[in-house]
Amino acid sequence: MGLKIVVGGDNAGFNYKEALKADLEADERVDEVIDVGVTGTDDDTYYPNVATAAGEKVSGGEADRALLICGTGLGVAISANKVKGIRAVTAHDIYSVQRSVLSNNAQVLCMGERVVGLELARTLVKEWVGLEFDPNSSSAAKVDAICAYEGD
Ligand code: RB5
């Protein structure tokens, strides 16, 4: 079964969100893409509202992952991390994107439209879709410790 992925961001990330959404929709490893906004560059919904809505879809089981884009990738990560159970990271390089899943079992990848080139962002997302956390790896106990801190 393929992944269900939420995409979202504010107006500073709208153009990349749309481009990356189109890539995900065309990716056979992805079953469903759920867009939680914003709807255009003139939609000034704040990034925390979009990012927490996306995080709740993941924490509630409606989606497996989320891809969030704002100007820097920072505000959406901070916001999504407020949702219980969410591990969101900002990453603009291949090693960090790989480790976000393989080491941290992060379900949310955040990027900044004002930070990274579009073609690199597209390459990173393509790599990200194929990554899978190994619950038998030595990283699992560390992720469990994060969950334990949260009360799980
Ligand atoms: C623009 O509002 C900018 O602050 C936002 O997109 C994001 O970069 C915040 O972290």
Side-chain angles (χ1 to χ4, degrees):
M1 212 172 90
L3 291 172
K4 288 184 186 165
I5 301 182
V6 183
V7 296
D10 67 0
N11 51 10
F14 177 75
N15 293 315
Y16 276 28
K17 189 258 287 177
E18 291 297 300
L20 297 168
K21 175 183 159 182
D23 284 350
L24 290 173
E25 285 172 338
D27 192 318
E28 60 187 18
R29 300 167 298 174
V30 177
D31 272 356
E32 190 182 351
V33 180
I34 304 164
D35 188 342
V36 292
V38 297
T39 56
T41 51
D42 55 352
D43 178 344
D44 57 8
T45 304
Y46 289 170
Y47 64 81
N49 300 330
V50 174
T52 52
E56 283 176 8
K57 286 201 181 299
V58 174
S59 69
E62 241 182 279
D64 303 297
R65 294 189 189 181
L67 174 65
L68 301 176
I69 314 292
C70 64
T72 58
L74 301 176
V76 284
I78 292 167
S79 305
N81 276 315
K82 300 297 179 191
V83 178
K84 187 169 160 37
I86 291 301
R87 293 175 295 281
V89 300
T90 305
H92 296 114
D93 68 277
I94 195 84
Y95 184 70
S96 300
V97 168
Q98 288 171 337
R99 295 324 306 179
S100 76
V101 175
L102 302 178
S103 296
N104 312 120
N105 197 13
Q107 318 97 322
V108 183
L109 174 62
C110 304
M111 293 194 288
E113 181 166 332
R114 296 171 180 163
V115 179
V116 66
L118 178 58
E119 291 310 314
L120 176 55
R122 295 179 72 199
T123 302
L124 295 174
V125 171
K126 196 172 175 185
E127 172 75 8
W128 176 68
V129 169
L131 298 168
E132 209 177 322
F133 181 69
D134 176 0
N136 297 313
S137 70
S138 61
S139 297
K142 298 163 193 171
V143 176
D144 286 348
I146 299 172
C147 299
Y149 180 79
E150 270 195 319
D152 272 358

